[in-house]
Amino acid sequence: MQIKQEIQVAGRNFGIEFGERGMLSDAAIFMNYGDTVVMVNANASEKPRDGIDFFPLAVDYEEKMYAVGKIPGGFIKREGRPSEKAILSGRAIDRPLRPLFPKGFRNDVQVVCTVLSVENDNLPEILAINAATFALLISSIPYTTPLAAVMVGYVDGEFVLNPTSKEREASSLTLTVCATEDRVMMIEAGAKEIDEETMISAIDFGFNACQPIIKMQKEITAAYGKEKKEPVLYTLDQNIETEVRAFAGEMVAEAMHIVDKSERGAKMDEVKTKVQEAFGEKYPEGKSDIAETLYMLQKETVRDMAILEHKRIDGRRFDQIRDLSAEVAILPRTHGSGIFTRGSTQVMAVTTLGAIGDIQILDGVSEEESKRYIHHYNFPSYSVGETRPMRGPGRREIGHGALAEKALEPVIPDEETFPYTIRVVSEILSSNGSTSQASVCASTLALLDAGVPLKRSVAGIAMGLFTTDDLSMEEVVTDIQGVEDFFGDMDFKVAGTSEGITAIQVDTKIAGLSPACIRKSIMDAKTARMEILGVMDGALKEARPEVSQYAPKIYTLNINPDKIRDVIGSGGKVINKIIAETGVKIDIDDTGKVFVGGPDIDMVKKAMAIIEGIVKEVVPGEIYLGKVIKIMPFGAFVEILPNKEGLVHISKLDVKRVEKVEDVVEVGDEILVKVTEIDQQGRINLSRRDALMDMEKKEKAEKTEE
């Protein structure tokens, strides 16, 4: 039986259809918002996966180019590895869903979201979060919590629900809110320096907007949902837990009170060795239970310190930031560099400036086709003192790079102000909590060092949370270090300037955040951000007045679009000649804007002069210094501007009669000529005789004045 249900969300049809498609999946649905359509298939393994200590949830977000009527680029012409946008969308679906599965569930669960049709007014990534939740709810998989997602914009002082493409362009806020009936599960925001109170109100607006979708989910699940399978949940062996707690409880508590990360880690290694020696032979099959008990002891120690003793592991106040330092210009040949250190978290960022033609071309289903500001994030094993193979960026690296990019994008100067492509690479040198936000700080320093005129400096901070199991008590802490992130319940990242917020990303391990927690996190983050900005300003407050001597020098000029063909020439002959002669890089857009860049400023200026000469209009009556390029019996052809030549008839070569052209000029001579006529066919007629006579008259007039 085919089931169809529909409601109105922000004045557009929001519908679900299932029952006769993808019959072999546990759940298969088509969900539409306007003309945007996403298919979601949800399945789970019959048995738990052995030997793991985590929930193996896999969310795949598949972009199909046919959804926007495109054929994939490249030689293969089919979709390959997921785009960065697809990876980020998959992460955004995973993050709010994962904490809502039963604790101890170890079955493999795969949720595949396939984008089938895209209408630019209705974003598929927001629809996919709702569709994934619907699929899990109506499936037999033991997932039971309704969850909805909406986007919030801010246009002309008003909040806009699920803004259209045009509204998104005008909006100073792009906020995604995922919520259950009573709590917020995820926040993802990019903003143009939005103040804290407005951001809090926007999140509340999004929470309320989620409720009609949740109501629809509950009604459909109650009417058509499958019976849920009884989950096989991982539980600790009570004997192992009791004995390990009694043996190691005090040792774990002692270890977790050590401030230094390395010393604490070494002490915990000793504890684990002693526990293994004591129980390894007695419980040969209980390795996982022993490890889980030790994890719980560590988590309980950190949590109880915060909630019951009102202390942090390193003795800081709940609102206190670790020691800060900032440096710039640390690398001699790069275009810009900076290091930001917060406690034992340290990030080096390096800025590279390139020509406009170095922009990143995007091949995906979104409206964005290119980027001129690119941020990459690298997290090598040495940053945590470990060894592992060096591979390409994973989902975490891509996600953190995108977050830093989002935080800085609002302050990057536009193309008119700063005609460069900008790439920043964040290298994590040492990691002990919140490297993504340290990356924002280091990148700001590197950009300023490179001479990028940012509107304002941007800093970031991560807030943490400790709660009781029933969520009745909670403590928010500022600047979480690694152990607080690992054993805590929230990672609330906020980046912004002195004027407001530019980015937020929230991950939670519990069943959502209270309004009080959200407000305190945002307001305490503002206080911390101001302190960090003060330290950064001490290193470098404003952009350097000039770009590095090793960076390309880029100039722009605007030409008549009709003249583009003249600059390029047949088969690129003209532009390639300029490039070969000067060694510059030239980019021209359809509007007639020309970007000329290169390391040698003199060559850049020479190329600019050549282009200006090509597009300059020949004016009848004007005198030009031209070059003889060809001699014929009836006259000489003279180039007066690049690629613009005219004929000086033999009768107009001199004030006296000329018998033979070669008696007056030779190829390569530079002579003064006057434009006497441009005929209907565009041919230019020149006269050396008239130019000489005009010059003679001018000289006589000047002598008379003397």
Side-chain angles (χ1 to χ4, degrees), residues 5 12 19 33 52 105 115 123 143 163 173 254 393 426 465 468 500 521 542 547 638 658 675 688:
Q5 294 285 337
R12 282 157 274 171
Y33 190 38
I52 61 170
F105 191 54
V115 180
L123 297 177
Y143 176 93
L173 172 66
E254 181 184 347
S426 297
L465 175 71
T468 53
S521 297
E542 296 179 347
V547 299
V638 179
V658 177
V675 179
R688 180 173 178 267

Side-chain angles (χ1 to χ4, degrees), residues 115-293:
V115 180
L116 303 178
S117 175
V118 176
E119 177 187 14
N120 288 332
D121 282 344
N122 304 308
L123 297 177
E125 52 265 36
I126 303 300
L127 181 62
I129 300 174
N130 293 292
T133 308
F134 262 107
L136 289 167
L137 287 170
I138 66 172
S139 73
S140 66
I141 300 169
Y143 176 93
T144 58
T145 306
L147 172 81
V150 297
M151 177 172 281
V152 180
Y154 192 59
V155 182
D156 296 331
E158 299 289 337
F159 296 124
V160 180
L161 178 61
N162 292 344
T164 63
S165 177
K166 188 174 181 180
E167 288 169 335
R168 291 196 298 272
E169 287 184 12
S171 178
S172 56
L173 172 66
T174 302
L175 168 68
T176 299
V177 178
C178 296
T180 62
E181 279 188 292
D182 51 8
R183 286 187 170 238
V184 173
M185 288 301 302
M186 186 190 77
I187 303 168
E188 187 93 37
K192 298 176 182 177
E193 300 180 287
I194 291 288
D195 69 86
E196 279 68 18
E197 288 296 340
T198 301
M199 182 64 78
I200 293 169
S201 297
I203 294 169
D204 185 58
F205 177 87
F207 172 81
N208 292 327
C210 286
Q211 300 312 309
I213 301 174
I214 290 173
K215 180 182 177 183
M216 179 186 184
Q217 290 175 345
K218 293 173 68 175
E219 291 173 351
I220 290 177
T221 303
Y224 306 107
K226 293 181 180 180
E227 182 180 350
K228 296 294 182 181
K229 293 179 180 178
E230 189 66 30
V232 178
L233 303 179
Y234 168 77
T235 56
L236 286 174
D237 182 296
Q238 292 302 307
N239 291 329
I240 293 177
E241 181 184 5
T242 301
E243 292 183 36
V244 171
R245 279 182 175 275
F247 179 82
E250 291 185 5
M251 290 189 292
V252 170
E254 181 184 347
M256 296 307 292
H257 278 76
I258 297 174
V259 174
D260 183 82
K261 178 182 178 181
S262 298
E263 292 180 15
R264 184 171 61 249
K267 186 66 174 178
M268 275 306 305
D269 287 341
E270 290 180 17
V271 174
K272 291 174 184 177
T273 299
K274 290 179 180 180
V275 170
Q276 184 60 34
E277 291 173 350
F279 299 102
E281 291 185 8
K282 184 176 181 180
Y283 298 109
E285 303 297 325
K287 186 176 180 180
S288 295
D289 289 350
I290 294 171
E292 182 68 16
T293 302

Side-chain angles (χ1 to χ4, degrees), residues 433-603:
S434 190
T435 54
S436 68
Q437 297 310 286
S439 172
V440 172
C441 302
S443 298
T444 296
L445 296 170
L447 286 162
L448 293 175
D449 186 47
V452 181
L454 302 180
K455 295 175 184 176
R456 271 172 286 276
S457 293
V458 183
I461 193 71
M463 312 298 294
L465 175 71
F466 295 101
T467 63
T468 53
D469 291 339
D470 61 1
L471 306 183
S472 61
M473 299 175 66
E474 59 185 27
E475 291 287 354
V476 174
V477 296
T478 298
D479 179 25
I480 52 174
Q481 58 177 309
V483 66
E484 293 172 321
D485 185 8
F486 189 68
F487 294 115
D489 299 310
M490 174 186 79
D491 186 3
F492 199 123
K493 308 178 186 79
V494 185
T497 68
S498 58
E499 300 299 311
I501 295 169
T502 58
I504 292 180
Q505 186 181 89
V506 180
D507 297 320
T508 179
K509 302 173 187 176
I510 57 177
L513 306 177
S514 67
C517 172
I518 293 171
R519 169 173 283 278
K520 182 167 179 57
S521 297
I522 290 176
M523 299 310 295
D524 284 2
K526 178 182 180 180
T527 302
R529 187 171 75 245
M530 296 305 173
E531 181 179 342
I532 295 169
L533 286 169
V535 173
M536 292 167 58
D537 286 348
L540 187 60
K541 189 171 184 178
E542 296 179 347
R544 299 198 186 279
E546 295 182 356
V547 299
S548 164
Q549 61 175 313
Y550 303 112
K553 311 304 181 290
I554 299 179
Y555 288 79
T556 63
L557 72 154
N558 293 297
I559 65 174
N560 186 328
D562 293 337
K563 297 291 184 180
I564 294 175
R565 66 171 72 91
D566 297 333
V567 176
I568 296 175
S570 177
K573 182 179 179 181
V574 175
I575 196 169
N576 287 332
K577 181 181 178 183
I578 300 172
I579 292 171
E581 185 177 337
T582 61
V584 302
K585 187 169 184 178
I586 302 172
D587 298 296
I588 307 175
D589 68 20
D590 294 338
T591 66
K593 185 173 291 183
V594 182
F595 302 89
V596 182
D600 187 332
I601 192 169
D602 291 333
M603 289 295 100

Side-chain angles (χ1 to χ4, degrees), residues 391-416:
R391 297 191 174 96
R395 293 191 169 211
R396 183 178 186 274
E397 284 84 356
I398 291 171
H400 282 7
L403 178 59
E405 185 174 290
K406 183 184 294 184
L408 284 157
E409 195 277 332
V411 302
I412 296 293
D414 60 26
E415 191 178 274
E416 291 284 342

